[in-house]
Amino acid sequence: MGTHRTFLQFEAVLGHCEQRVTEGSLSAAMEYGRKMGFFDAHNSLLPSGQLLAQIILPTIKETRAYSGIQ
């Protein structure tokens, strides 16, 4: 998976988690994501987080500007 796609998926899942917490902080969103099984202890997406990202962003496509394609 490309770095740009990984970043977009991470951001999509983190945004989803942010909407679910009342504290309004990124650390609370990350903690929620870990409790839900979306992120591991190193803040990487777990398979369930990747699946959620695919649902949220079903048509992620790398573009020439960001993917390094020439």
Side-chain angles (χ1 to χ4, degrees):
M1 185 178 343
T3 303
H4 184 245
R5 175 175 270 166
T6 302
F7 174 77
L8 290 176
Q9 289 184 338
F10 177 87
E11 286 292 312
V13 174
L14 182 59
H16 170 81
C17 294
E18 253 187 310
Q19 292 175 351
R20 299 296 188 267
V21 295
T22 58
E23 292 86 1
S25 71
L26 290 178
S27 59
M30 285 301 301
E31 185 61 30
Y32 173 84
R34 284 189 206 101
K35 285 182 182 178
M36 297 303 295
F38 301 142
F39 300 108
D40 66 12
H42 302 286
N43 300 333
S44 297
L45 282 177
L46 292 171
S48 60
Q50 292 172 354
L51 180 60
L52 176 61
Q54 289 175 7
I55 293 168
I56 295 171
L57 302 169
T59 58
I60 294 176
K61 292 184 182 177
E62 292 185 358
T63 62
R64 291 182 183 272
Y66 297 109
S67 67
I69 298 171
Q70 301 200 5

